[in-house]
Structures are given as C-alpha cells and as structure tokens.
Amino acid sequence: MEADELLLLVAGGDHKAFEDLYGLVSGPVFGLVRRVVRDPAQSEEVAQEVLLETWRSAARFDPGRGSALSWILTLAHRRAVDRVRSARAAGEREQREALRANQPAFDHVTEEVEAGLEREWVRRCLDRLTVLQRQSVTLAYYEGYTYREVADQLSLPLGTVKTRMRDGLTRMRECLGGVA
C-alpha cells in the first residue's frame, strides 16, 4: 500500500496501517530531522514526536493538497526547526543569566544618592581649604587648567601654586578619608 492510502486508514484509527506507515516513513523522517537537528539523540526524539503527531493528526491530512509523505515530512521539518530554535533560545537565556549573575544589578536611585552625598562631602572638604588652595584646586580639577595656567589666572608664581595645590590636595585627601 502507498503512504497516502495508509495515512487515510490511520485517520480512521487503524493500528496495522500505522505500523505499515511507520515502517515506510520513519527512515525519511529521521533523515530529515537529523539534517536539521544534527544531534542523534534529539533527532530520534523529534522523529518519534513527529510520528506520534502523525498518528494523532492523521485526520487533518488532505490528499488533494499533496502526498502523505510530503505532509509528514513537512511536520518533521517544522518540528525539527522548532527544536533547534528552542535549544538556541535556551542557550541564549542561559548565557544572559550567567552574565547577569556575574554582574551586580545597577540601582539608579542608590547611585544617584551616593553621588549626591559624595558631591556634598567634596564641597564641605573644599570649604575647609584656604581661599588660595580652594581656587587652585578648583581651577585645576574642575576647570581643567594646568598648573602654569592656574598660576597665570591667579597672578602667582608657579612654585607657589604648586605648593598650595599640594597642601590643598593633602587636606582634601585627609578630609575625604572618611568617604573612601
């Protein structure tokens, strides 16, 4: 008997027809699935799922739209592609979870609060400096001037600015020691 005739009998619940159909199409189904899935164990599993689906949905087969073998191989191809996509998606999910597990969650609110507190602490420490130290540090670190440019801005000798910067940064470090 041909696959078309057997599939119509299977749609009626004929167990013997399914055995014959199974013997006829299991090789081509496994071959197609194996080419798509590649893993032998998974290919066997998918092929069995396809043949079980064939038994369950044989009544949906319409001989006017194509052959039984084409219909079954279409089921096999779809199921195999679904398995590959599912495996790929699972792998990508696992990679994302692994990356997430290694990276602490970023808390925007906490970061903003901490940054605000740090800015306030720096302001307080700057207020403890002498006027010349504060001007020198502010020009160099907040305005981006070089030591030479700071000296020109303040109309002071370069050595004086360097000394005031060193002293100011030392006092800042001591003051900020409680934050770091």
Coordinates of all heavy atoms in Angstrom, one line a residue, residues 8-94:
L8 N -4.7 7.5 5.3 CA -6.2 7.7 5.4 C -6.8 6.6 6.3 O -7.7 6.9 7.1 CB -6.8 7.5 4.0 CG -6.5 8.7 3.0 CD1 -7.1 8.4 1.6 CD2 -7.2 10.0 3.6
L9 N -6.2 5.4 6.3 CA -6.6 4.3 7.2 C -6.2 4.7 8.6 O -7.0 4.4 9.6 CB -6.0 3.0 6.8 CG -6.5 2.4 5.5 CD1 -5.7 1.2 5.1 CD2 -8.0 2.1 5.6
V10 N -5.0 5.3 8.8 CA -4.6 5.7 10.1 C -5.6 6.7 10.7 O -5.9 6.7 11.9 CB -3.1 6.3 10.1 CG1 -2.8 6.9 11.4 CG2 -2.2 5.1 9.8
A11 N -6.1 7.6 9.9 CA -7.0 8.6 10.3 C -8.3 8.0 10.9 O -8.9 8.5 11.7 CB -7.4 9.6 9.1
G12 N -8.5 6.8 10.4 CA -9.7 6.0 10.9 C -9.4 5.2 12.1 O -10.2 4.5 12.7
G13 N -8.1 5.3 12.6 CA -7.7 4.6 13.8 C -7.2 3.2 13.6 O -7.0 2.4 14.5
D14 N -6.7 2.8 12.4 CA -6.2 1.5 12.0 C -4.8 1.4 12.5 O -3.9 2.0 12.0 CB -6.3 1.3 10.5 CG -6.0 -0.1 10.1 OD1 -5.2 -0.8 10.8 OD2 -6.5 -0.5 9.0
H15 N -4.6 0.5 13.6 CA -3.3 0.3 14.1 C -2.3 -0.4 13.2 O -1.1 0.0 13.1 CB -3.4 -0.5 15.4 CG -4.0 0.3 16.6 ND1 -3.4 1.1 17.4 CD2 -5.3 0.3 17.0 CE1 -4.2 1.6 18.3 NE2 -5.4 1.1 18.0
K16 N -2.8 -1.4 12.4 CA -2.0 -2.1 11.5 C -1.5 -1.2 10.4 O -0.3 -1.2 10.0 CB -2.7 -3.3 10.9 CG -2.0 -4.0 9.8 CD -0.8 -4.8 10.3 CE -0.2 -5.6 9.2 NZ 1.2 -5.3 8.9
A17 N -2.3 -0.3 9.9 CA -2.0 0.7 8.9 C -0.9 1.6 9.4 O 0.0 2.0 8.7 CB -3.2 1.5 8.4
F18 N -1.0 2.0 10.7 CA 0.0 2.9 11.3 C 1.4 2.2 11.4 O 2.4 2.8 11.1 CB -0.4 3.4 12.7 CG 0.6 4.3 13.3 CD1 0.8 5.6 12.7 CD2 1.4 4.0 14.3 CE1 1.8 6.5 13.2 CE2 2.4 4.8 14.8 CZ 2.6 6.1 14.3
E19 N 1.4 0.9 11.7 CA 2.6 0.1 11.7 C 3.3 0.1 10.4 O 4.5 0.3 10.2 CB 2.3 -1.4 12.1 CG 2.1 -1.5 13.6 CD 1.8 -3.0 13.9 OE1 2.5 -3.9 13.3 OE2 1.0 -3.3 14.8
D20 N 2.5 -0.1 9.3 CA 3.0 -0.1 8.0 C 3.5 1.3 7.5 O 4.6 1.4 6.9 CB 1.9 -0.6 7.0 CG 1.5 -2.1 7.2 OD1 2.3 -2.8 7.9 OD2 0.5 -2.5 6.7
L21 N 2.7 2.3 7.9 CA 3.1 3.7 7.6 C 4.4 4.0 8.3 O 5.3 4.6 7.7 CB 2.0 4.6 7.9 CG 2.3 6.1 7.6 CD1 2.4 6.3 6.1 CD2 1.2 7.0 8.2
Y22 N 4.5 3.6 9.6 CA 5.7 3.9 10.4 C 6.9 3.3 9.7 O 8.0 3.9 9.5 CB 5.5 3.3 11.8 CG 6.6 3.6 12.7 CD1 6.5 4.6 13.6 CD2 7.8 2.8 12.7 CE1 7.5 4.9 14.5 CE2 8.8 3.1 13.6 CZ 8.7 4.2 14.5 OH 9.7 4.5 15.4
G23 N 6.8 2.0 9.2 CA 7.9 1.3 8.6 C 8.3 2.0 7.3 O 9.5 2.1 6.9
L24 N 7.3 2.6 6.6 CA 7.5 3.3 5.3 C 8.2 4.7 5.5 O 9.0 5.0 4.7 CB 6.2 3.4 4.6 CG 6.2 3.8 3.1 CD1 6.9 2.8 2.3 CD2 4.7 4.0 2.6
V25 N 7.8 5.4 6.5 CA 8.2 6.8 6.5 C 9.2 7.1 7.6 O 9.8 8.2 7.7 CB 7.0 7.8 6.7 CG1 6.1 7.7 5.5 CG2 6.3 7.6 8.0
S26 N 9.4 6.2 8.6 CA 10.3 6.5 9.7 C 11.7 6.9 9.3 O 12.4 7.8 9.8 CB 10.3 5.4 10.7 OG 10.8 4.2 10.2
G27 N 12.2 6.2 8.2 CA 13.6 6.5 7.7 C 13.7 7.9 7.2 O 14.6 8.6 7.6
P28 N 12.8 8.2 6.2 CA 12.9 9.6 5.7 C 12.7 10.7 6.7 O 13.3 11.7 6.7 CB 11.8 9.6 4.6 CG 11.6 8.2 4.2 CD 11.9 7.4 5.4
V29 N 11.8 10.4 7.7 CA 11.5 11.4 8.7 C 12.8 11.6 9.6 O 13.2 12.7 9.8 CB 10.3 11.0 9.6 CG1 10.3 11.8 10.9 CG2 9.0 11.1 8.9
F30 N 13.4 10.5 10.0 CA 14.6 10.6 10.8 C 15.7 11.3 10.0 O 16.4 12.1 10.6 CB 15.1 9.2 11.3 CG 16.3 9.3 12.1 CD1 16.3 9.8 13.4 CD2 17.6 8.9 11.6 CE1 17.5 9.9 14.2 CE2 18.7 9.0 12.3 CZ 18.7 9.5 13.6
G31 N 15.9 10.9 8.8 CA 16.9 11.6 7.9 C 16.8 13.1 7.8 O 17.8 13.8 8.0
L32 N 15.5 13.5 7.6 CA 15.3 15.0 7.5 C 15.6 15.6 8.9 O 16.3 16.7 8.9 CB 13.8 15.2 7.1 CG 13.4 16.7 7.1 CD1 14.1 17.4 6.0 CD2 11.9 16.8 7.0
V33 N 15.0 15.0 9.9 CA 15.2 15.6 11.2 C 16.7 15.7 11.6 O 17.2 16.7 12.1 CB 14.4 14.9 12.3 CG1 14.7 15.3 13.7 CG2 12.9 15.0 12.0
R34 N 17.4 14.6 11.3 CA 18.8 14.5 11.6 C 19.6 15.6 10.9 O 20.6 16.2 11.5 CB 19.4 13.2 11.2 CG 20.8 12.9 11.5 CD 21.1 12.6 13.0 NE 22.4 12.1 13.2 CZ 23.5 12.8 13.4 NH1 23.4 14.1 13.4 NH2 24.6 12.2 13.6
R35 N 19.3 15.9 9.7 CA 20.0 17.0 9.0 C 19.7 18.4 9.6 O 20.6 19.2 9.6 CB 19.5 17.0 7.5 CG 20.2 16.0 6.6 CD 20.0 16.2 5.1 NE 18.6 16.2 4.8 CZ 17.9 15.1 4.5 NH1 18.4 13.9 4.6 NH2 16.6 15.2 4.1
V36 N 18.5 18.6 10.2 CA 18.2 19.9 10.8 C 18.7 20.0 12.2 O 19.4 20.9 12.6 CB 16.7 20.1 10.7 CG1 16.3 21.4 11.5 CG2 16.2 20.2 9.3
V37 N 18.5 18.9 13.0 CA 18.8 19.0 14.4 C 20.3 18.6 14.7 O 20.9 19.2 15.6 CB 17.9 18.0 15.2 CG1 18.2 18.0 16.7 CG2 16.4 18.5 15.1
R38 N 20.8 17.7 13.9 CA 22.2 17.3 14.0 C 22.5 16.3 15.2 O 23.2 15.4 15.0 CB 23.2 18.4 14.0 CG 23.2 19.2 12.7 CD 24.4 20.1 12.5 NE 24.4 20.7 11.2 CZ 24.2 22.0 11.1 NH1 24.2 22.8 12.1 NH2 24.2 22.5 9.9
D39 N 22.0 16.6 16.3 CA 22.3 15.7 17.5 C 21.5 14.4 17.3 O 20.2 14.4 17.2 CB 21.8 16.4 18.8 CG 22.0 15.5 20.0 OD1 23.2 15.3 20.4 OD2 21.0 15.1 20.5
P40 N 22.1 13.2 17.3 CA 21.4 12.0 17.1 C 20.3 11.7 18.1 O 19.2 11.3 17.7 CB 22.5 10.9 17.1 CG 23.8 11.7 17.0 CD 23.6 13.0 17.4
A41 N 20.6 11.9 19.4 CA 19.6 11.6 20.4 C 18.4 12.5 20.3 O 17.2 12.0 20.3 CB 20.2 11.7 21.8
Q42 N 18.6 13.7 20.0 CA 17.5 14.7 19.9 C 16.8 14.4 18.6 O 15.5 14.5 18.5 CB 18.0 16.1 19.9 CG 18.3 16.5 21.3 CD 18.2 18.0 21.5 OE1 17.4 18.7 20.8 NE2 18.9 18.6 22.5
S43 N 17.5 14.0 17.6 CA 16.9 13.7 16.3 C 15.9 12.5 16.4 O 14.8 12.5 15.9 CB 17.9 13.3 15.2 OG 18.7 14.4 15.0
E44 N 16.3 11.5 17.2 CA 15.4 10.3 17.4 C 14.2 10.8 18.2 O 13.1 10.4 17.9 CB 16.2 9.3 18.3 CG 17.2 8.5 17.5 CD 18.0 7.6 18.4 OE1 17.6 7.3 19.5 OE2 19.1 7.1 17.9
E45 N 14.4 11.6 19.2 CA 13.3 12.1 20.0 C 12.3 12.9 19.1 O 11.1 12.7 19.2 CB 13.8 13.0 21.1 CG 12.8 13.4 22.1 CD 13.4 14.2 23.2 OE1 14.4 13.8 23.8 OE2 12.8 15.3 23.5
V46 N 12.8 13.8 18.3 CA 11.9 14.6 17.4 C 11.2 13.7 16.4 O 10.0 13.9 16.1 CB 12.8 15.7 16.7 CG1 11.9 16.4 15.6 CG2 13.3 16.7 17.7
A47 N 11.9 12.7 15.8 CA 11.3 11.8 14.9 C 10.1 11.1 15.5 O 9.1 10.9 14.9 CB 12.3 10.9 14.3
Q48 N 10.3 10.6 16.8 CA 9.2 9.9 17.5 C 8.1 10.9 17.7 O 6.9 10.5 17.6 CB 9.7 9.4 18.8 CG 10.6 8.2 18.6 CD 10.0 7.0 17.9 OE1 8.8 6.7 18.1 NE2 10.7 6.4 17.0
E49 N 8.4 12.1 18.1 CA 7.3 13.1 18.3 C 6.5 13.3 17.0 O 5.3 13.4 17.0 CB 7.9 14.4 18.7 CG 8.4 14.4 20.1 CD 9.2 15.7 20.5 OE1 9.2 16.7 19.7 OE2 9.8 15.7 21.6
V50 N 7.2 13.4 15.9 CA 6.6 13.6 14.6 C 5.7 12.4 14.2 O 4.5 12.6 13.8 CB 7.6 13.8 13.4 CG1 7.0 13.8 12.1 CG2 8.3 15.2 13.7
L51 N 6.2 11.2 14.4 CA 5.4 10.0 14.1 C 4.2 9.9 15.0 O 3.1 9.5 14.6 CB 6.2 8.8 14.1 CG 7.3 8.8 13.0 CD1 8.3 7.7 13.2 CD2 6.6 8.6 11.7
L52 N 4.3 10.3 16.3 CA 3.2 10.4 17.2 C 2.2 11.4 16.8 O 0.9 11.2 16.8 CB 3.7 10.6 18.6 CG 2.6 10.7 19.7 CD1 1.9 9.3 19.8 CD2 3.2 11.0 21.1
E53 N 2.7 12.6 16.3 CA 1.8 13.6 15.8 C 1.1 13.1 14.6 O -0.1 13.5 14.4 CB 2.6 14.9 15.5 CG 1.8 16.0 15.1 CD 2.6 17.3 14.8 OE1 3.8 17.4 15.1 OE2 2.0 18.3 14.3
T54 N 1.8 12.3 13.8 CA 1.1 11.8 12.6 C -0.1 10.9 13.0 O -1.1 11.0 12.3 CB 2.1 11.0 11.7 OG1 3.2 11.8 11.4 CG2 1.5 10.4 10.5
W55 N 0.1 10.1 14.0 CA -1.0 9.2 14.4 C -2.2 10.1 14.9 O -3.3 9.8 14.6 CB -0.5 8.3 15.5 CG -1.6 7.6 16.3 CD1 -2.1 7.9 17.5 CD2 -2.3 6.5 15.8 NE1 -3.1 7.0 17.8 CE2 -3.3 6.1 16.8 CE3 -2.3 5.7 14.6 CZ2 -4.2 5.1 16.7 CZ3 -3.2 4.7 14.5 CH2 -4.1 4.4 15.6
R56 N -1.8 11.1 15.7 CA -2.9 11.9 16.3 C -3.6 12.9 15.4 O -4.8 13.2 15.5 CB -2.3 12.8 17.5 CG -1.9 12.0 18.7 CD -1.3 12.9 19.7 NE -0.9 12.2 20.9 CZ 0.0 12.6 21.8 NH1 0.6 13.8 21.6 NH2 0.3 11.9 22.8
S57 N -2.9 13.3 14.4 CA -3.5 14.3 13.5 C -3.7 13.8 12.0 O -3.8 14.6 11.1 CB -2.6 15.6 13.5 OG -1.3 15.3 13.0
A58 N -3.7 12.5 11.9 CA -3.9 12.0 10.5 C -5.1 12.4 9.8 O -5.2 12.6 8.6 CB -3.8 10.4 10.6
A59 N -6.2 12.7 10.6 CA -7.4 13.2 10.1 C -7.3 14.5 9.4 O -8.1 14.9 8.5 CB -8.5 13.2 11.1
R60 N -6.3 15.3 9.7 CA -6.1 16.6 9.1 C -5.5 16.5 7.7 O -5.4 17.5 7.0 CB -5.2 17.5 10.0 CG -5.9 17.9 11.2 CD -5.1 19.0 12.0 NE -3.7 19.0 11.7 CZ -2.8 19.1 12.6 NH1 -3.1 19.3 13.9 NH2 -1.5 19.2 12.2
F61 N -5.0 15.3 7.3 CA -4.3 15.1 6.0 C -5.4 15.3 4.9 O -6.4 14.7 5.0 CB -3.6 13.8 6.0 CG -3.2 13.4 4.6 CD1 -2.2 14.1 3.9 CD2 -3.8 12.3 3.9 CE1 -1.8 13.8 2.7 CE2 -3.4 12.0 2.6 CZ -2.4 12.7 2.0
D62 N -5.0 16.1 3.9 CA -5.9 16.3 2.8 C -5.2 15.8 1.5 O -4.2 16.5 1.1 CB -6.3 17.8 2.7 CG -7.2 18.1 1.5 OD1 -7.6 17.2 0.8 OD2 -7.4 19.3 1.3
P63 N -5.5 14.7 1.0 CA -4.8 14.2 -0.2 C -4.9 15.1 -1.4 O -4.0 15.0 -2.3 CB -5.5 12.8 -0.5 CG -6.7 12.7 0.4 CD -6.6 13.8 1.4
G64 N -5.8 16.0 -1.4 CA -5.9 17.0 -2.5 C -4.9 18.0 -2.5 O -4.6 18.7 -3.5
R65 N -4.2 18.2 -1.4 CA -3.2 19.2 -1.2 C -1.7 18.7 -1.4 O -0.8 19.5 -1.4 CB -3.3 19.9 0.1 CG -4.7 20.6 0.2 CD -4.8 21.4 1.5 NE -3.8 22.5 1.5 CZ -3.6 23.2 2.5 NH1 -4.1 23.0 3.7 NH2 -2.7 24.2 2.5
G66 N -1.6 17.4 -1.5 CA -0.2 16.8 -1.6 C -0.2 15.4 -1.1 O -1.2 14.9 -0.7
S67 N 1.0 14.8 -1.2 CA 1.1 13.4 -0.8 C 1.3 13.3 0.7 O 1.7 14.3 1.4 CB 2.4 12.8 -1.5 OG 3.6 13.4 -0.9
A68 N 1.0 12.1 1.2 CA 1.2 11.8 2.6 C 2.6 12.0 3.1 O 2.9 12.6 4.1 CB 0.7 10.4 2.9
L69 N 3.5 11.5 2.2 CA 4.9 11.7 2.6 C 5.3 13.1 2.7 O 6.0 13.5 3.7 CB 5.8 10.9 1.6 CG 7.3 10.9 2.0 CD1 7.6 10.3 3.3 CD2 8.1 10.2 0.9
S70 N 4.9 14.0 1.8 CA 5.2 15.4 1.9 C 4.6 16.0 3.1 O 5.2 16.9 3.8 CB 4.6 16.1 0.6 OG 5.3 15.7 -0.5
W71 N 3.4 15.6 3.4 CA 2.7 16.2 4.6 C 3.5 15.8 5.9 O 3.7 16.6 6.7 CB 1.3 15.6 4.6 CG 0.4 16.2 5.8 CD1 -0.2 17.4 5.8 CD2 0.1 15.5 7.0 NE1 -0.9 17.5 7.0 CE2 -0.7 16.3 7.7 CE3 0.3 14.2 7.4 CZ2 -1.3 16.0 8.9 CZ3 -0.2 13.9 8.7 CH2 -1.0 14.7 9.4
I72 N 3.9 14.5 6.0 CA 4.6 14.0 7.1 C 6.0 14.7 7.2 O 6.4 15.1 8.3 CB 4.7 12.5 7.1 CG1 3.3 11.9 7.3 CG2 5.6 12.0 8.2 CD1 3.3 10.4 7.0
L73 N 6.6 14.8 6.1 CA 8.0 15.5 6.1 C 7.9 17.0 6.4 O 8.8 17.5 7.1 CB 8.7 15.3 4.8 CG 9.1 13.8 4.5 CD1 9.8 13.7 3.1 CD2 10.1 13.3 5.6
T74 N 6.8 17.6 6.1 CA 6.5 19.0 6.5 C 6.4 19.1 8.0 O 7.0 20.0 8.6 CB 5.3 19.6 5.8 OG1 5.5 19.5 4.4 CG2 5.0 21.0 6.2
L75 N 5.6 18.1 8.6 CA 5.5 18.1 10.0 C 6.9 17.9 10.7 O 7.2 18.6 11.7 CB 4.6 16.9 10.5 CG 3.1 17.0 10.1 CD1 2.4 15.7 10.6 CD2 2.5 18.2 10.8
A76 N 7.7 17.0 10.1 CA 9.0 16.7 10.6 C 9.9 17.9 10.5 O 10.6 18.3 11.5 CB 9.6 15.5 9.8
H77 N 9.9 18.6 9.4 CA 10.8 19.8 9.2 C 10.4 20.9 10.2 O 11.2 21.5 10.9 CB 10.7 20.3 7.8 CG 11.6 21.4 7.6 ND1 11.3 22.7 7.6 CD2 13.0 21.4 7.3 CE1 12.3 23.5 7.4 NE2 13.4 22.7 7.2
R78 N 9.1 21.1 10.4 CA 8.6 22.2 11.3 C 9.0 21.8 12.7 O 9.5 22.7 13.5 CB 7.1 22.3 11.2 CG 6.7 23.0 10.0 CD 5.2 23.2 9.9 NE 4.8 23.8 8.7 CZ 3.6 23.7 8.2 NH1 2.6 23.0 8.8 NH2 3.3 24.3 7.0
R79 N 8.8 20.6 13.1 CA 9.2 20.2 14.5 C 10.7 20.3 14.7 O 11.1 20.7 15.8 CB 8.7 18.7 14.7 CG 8.9 18.1 16.1 CD 8.1 18.9 17.2 NE 6.7 18.8 17.0 CZ 5.9 18.1 17.7 NH1 6.3 17.3 18.7 NH2 4.6 18.1 17.5
A80 N 11.5 19.9 13.7 CA 12.9 19.9 13.9 C 13.4 21.4 14.0 O 14.3 21.7 14.8 CB 13.6 19.3 12.7
V81 N 12.9 22.2 13.2 CA 13.2 23.7 13.3 C 12.8 24.2 14.6 O 13.6 25.0 15.2 CB 12.6 24.5 12.1 CG1 12.7 26.0 12.3 CG2 13.3 24.0 10.8
D82 N 11.6 23.9 15.1 CA 11.2 24.3 16.4 C 12.2 23.9 17.5 O 12.5 24.6 18.4 CB 9.8 23.8 16.7 CG 8.7 24.5 16.0 OD1 9.0 25.6 15.4 OD2 7.6 24.0 16.0
R83 N 12.7 22.6 17.4 CA 13.6 22.1 18.4 C 14.9 22.9 18.4 O 15.5 23.2 19.4 CB 13.9 20.6 18.1 CG 14.9 20.0 19.0 CD 14.4 20.0 20.5 NE 13.2 19.2 20.7 CZ 13.2 18.0 21.2 NH1 14.3 17.3 21.5 NH2 12.0 17.4 21.3
V84 N 15.4 23.2 17.2 CA 16.7 23.9 17.0 C 16.5 25.3 17.6 O 17.3 25.8 18.4 CB 17.1 24.0 15.6 CG1 18.3 25.0 15.4 CG2 17.5 22.6 15.1
R85 N 15.4 26.0 17.3 CA 15.1 27.3 17.8 C 15.0 27.3 19.3 O 15.5 28.2 20.0 CB 13.9 27.9 17.2 CG 14.1 28.3 15.7 CD 12.8 28.9 15.2 NE 13.0 29.3 13.8 CZ 12.0 29.4 12.9 NH1 10.8 29.1 13.2 NH2 12.3 29.7 11.6
S86 N 14.3 26.3 19.8 CA 14.1 26.2 21.3 C 15.5 26.0 22.0 O 15.7 26.6 23.0 CB 13.2 25.1 21.6 OG 13.1 24.9 22.9
A87 N 16.3 25.2 21.4 CA 17.6 24.9 22.0 C 18.5 26.2 22.0 O 19.2 26.5 22.9 CB 18.3 23.8 21.3
R88 N 18.4 26.9 20.8 CA 19.2 28.1 20.7 C 18.7 29.2 21.7 O 19.5 29.8 22.4 CB 19.1 28.6 19.3 CG 20.0 29.9 19.1 CD 20.0 30.3 17.6 NE 20.5 29.3 16.8 CZ 20.0 29.0 15.6 NH1 18.9 29.7 15.1 NH2 20.5 28.0 14.8
A89 N 17.4 29.3 21.8 CA 16.9 30.3 22.8 C 17.2 29.9 24.2 O 17.5 30.8 25.0 CB 15.3 30.4 22.6
A90 N 17.2 28.6 24.5 CA 17.5 28.2 25.9 C 19.0 28.5 26.2 O 19.4 29.0 27.3 CB 17.3 26.7 26.1
G91 N 19.9 28.3 25.2 CA 21.3 28.6 25.3 C 21.5 30.1 25.5 O 22.3 30.5 26.4
E92 N 20.8 30.9 24.8 CA 21.0 32.3 24.9 C 20.4 32.8 26.3 O 21.1 33.7 26.9 CB 20.2 33.0 23.8 CG 20.9 32.9 22.4 CD 20.1 33.4 21.3 OE1 18.9 33.9 21.5 OE2 20.6 33.3 20.1
R93 N 19.3 32.2 26.7 CA 18.8 32.6 28.1 C 19.8 32.2 29.1 O 20.1 33.0 30.1 CB 17.5 31.8 28.3 CG 16.3 32.6 28.0 CD 15.0 31.9 28.5 NE 14.9 30.5 28.3 CZ 14.4 29.9 27.2 NH1 14.1 30.7 26.2 NH2 14.4 28.6 27.1
E94 N 20.4 31.0 29.0 CA 21.4 30.6 30.0 C 22.6 31.6 30.0 O 23.2 31.9 31.1 CB 21.9 29.2 29.7 CG 20.8 28.2 30.0 CD 21.2 26.8 29.6 OE1 22.4 26.6 29.2 OE2 20.4 25.9 29.7

